[in-house]
Amino acid sequence: MLATLLAEITPPSGAWPDLPFEAWRETAATLHLMTQIVGKVRLRHTPALNHAWTGTLYVGARGLTTGPMFDSGRVFEIRFDFVDHFLIVEASDGARWSASLRPQPIADFFAEFIAGLESLSLPSKINGAPNELPDPIPFREDRVHAAYDADYAHRFWKALLAIDRVLQNFRAAFIGKSSPVHFFWGSFDLAATRFSGRRAPPHPAVPHLPLAVVRDAYSHEVSSAGFWPGGGGIDYPAFYSYAYPAPEGFSSAPVEPDGAFFSEALQEFILPYDSVRTAPSPEAALMRFLQSTYLAAAECGQWDRAALERGYDPSGQTLV
């Protein structure tokens, strides 16, 4: 049945690149801030959605994109192009602005980008401080983060492209409420979330994140999985999966493939990216992780799987 979930996944050329976090840690930190700046513009120009989905970015054919946004009858989009390494703003009336992605302080990137938006008559006032980071430096003052390694930015996007395809197929098998597959610029991760349909108890506070945002994000029971390039307590790229609230027995549930484990520190399942990248079929390895950790949440949490899963088969372990 796993083959059914994977039937339409053909690995793109050059998928699953080596992505050692230490080799591009500074670039990742700088790119994280760049995506926050662009994400805050999307937050301003997109109707509010539940669970903090309003400002997310999406994996595109050449990088990351905001998708369409709206301003006074115009539609515009902002794209990170990790092939030719440009930040591009395009509007429905033909207006266009672009700037090269290159090593430069965040303060300079911010000033250049805001000036570019203003040149297109697009409102550009945003909250000028990073989110979800300890000791944040206001964007216009940040001359600390200035790295941009084009090779690793490209590798990161290629990894996201491959992972996005698997997450999209995984999401398609669920008919209950689920999130898009989207990139959270606050935490710098690609994620997809499934909901049981039941309310959740109030979530405790999370450092460096407003409590109102946390409570909205976790208002209902979830099983969420995604990918980090590194940082946040793990200094290597990894897949994660967690449940909120975590049901009894969740942490000790059997999960696949080999290499997956439950992190007591993070309170979620972890699978190193390299375990997937070097597997005979990375797509199958990742799908086993996604499906087995979801089953841990759904079975331990007594989700109504028959109502939530397309083609649910009570005699099997996966969807058909």
Side-chain angles (χ1 to χ4, degrees):
M1 296 185 210
L2 179 63
T4 303
L5 291 171
L6 292 166
E8 298 182 2
I9 303 180
T10 300
S13 176
W16 310 104
D18 190 17
L19 198 63
F21 186 60
E22 283 302 324
W24 75 298
R25 179 188 290 268
E26 295 305 318
T27 291
T30 303
L31 188 56
H32 186 176
L33 294 168
M34 291 178 178
T35 63
Q36 291 216 4
I37 292 167
V38 170
K40 285 171 180 281
V41 173
R42 180 168 190 256
L43 199 63
R44 173 170 181 170
H45 293 275
T46 306
L49 293 171
N50 54 189
H51 311 303
W53 297 351
T54 300
T56 54
L57 305 179
Y58 305 96
V59 177
R62 295 176 66 92
L64 289 170
T65 178
T66 60
M69 297 175 289
F70 311 98
D71 179 73
S72 301
R74 302 167 75 197
V75 179
F76 71 104
E77 180 179 2
I78 305 172
R79 294 184 287 115
F80 286 93
D81 182 336
F82 295 132
V83 177
D84 290 330
H85 302 284
F86 279 90
L87 181 65
I88 302 164
V89 183
E90 293 179 313
S92 54
D93 58 6
R96 188 179 192 275
W97 173 89
S98 67
S100 63
L101 297 172
R102 61 195 187 276
Q104 63 173 333
I106 282 295
D108 294 348
F109 171 87
F110 180 71
E112 184 177 28
F113 174 58
I114 295 301
L117 291 177
E118 292 175 348
S119 74
L120 301 180
S121 299
L122 292 169
S124 55
K125 186 177 181 180
I126 61 172
N127 184 317
N131 292 92
E132 301 187 46
L133 295 173
D135 305 316
I137 306 170
F139 299 129
R140 63 178 68 255
E141 300 173 13
D142 188 349
R143 310 201 71 81
V144 174
H145 299 95
Y148 188 81
D149 185 315
D151 176 51
Y152 275 99
H154 183 82
R155 292 192 199 193
F156 177 50
W157 162 68
K158 292 291 281 188
L160 292 179
L161 203 62
I163 295 161
D164 183 77
R165 290 169 65 86
V166 180
L167 287 173
Q168 295 284 1
N169 276 266
F170 176 66
R171 179 179 185 263
F174 194 76
I175 59 174
K177 179 177 176 177
S178 61
S179 76
V181 178
H182 45 195
F183 187 85
F184 281 106
W185 44 263
S187 45
F188 204 57
D189 62 320
L190 186 68
T193 302
R194 293 176 168 186
F195 294 79
S196 74
R198 299 188 299 243
R199 296 285 302 189
H203 198 288
V206 174
H208 317 298
L209 192 60
L211 183 58
V213 174
V214 175
R215 293 280 170 86
D216 177 59
Y218 296 104
S219 61
H220 291 70
E221 291 181 345
V222 301
S223 171
S224 189
F227 170 74
W228 284 317
I234 294 185
D235 287 332
Y236 53 86
F239 300 95
Y240 64 83
S241 182
Y242 63 87
Y244 181 77
E248 184 176 353
F250 176 71
S251 63
S252 58
V255 297
E256 300 180 66
D258 291 343
F261 65 96
F262 187 80
S263 168
E264 292 293 342
L266 297 175
Q267 289 295 293
E268 52 197 52
F269 288 104
I270 297 295
L271 176 64
Y273 170 76
D274 282 349
S275 294
V276 171
R277 182 179 68 85
T278 59
S281 171
E283 294 76 20
L286 177 53
M287 190 65 83
R288 285 198 297 272
F289 178 72
L290 297 172
Q291 183 66 10
S292 64
T293 55
Y294 159 70
L295 286 174
E299 290 293 321
C300 294
Q302 299 181 2
W303 288 27
D304 185 358
R305 293 183 58 202
L308 296 170
E309 299 173 17
R310 177 163 58 87
Y312 172 69
D313 179 359
S315 67
Q317 282 292 299
T318 58
L319 309 180
V320 295

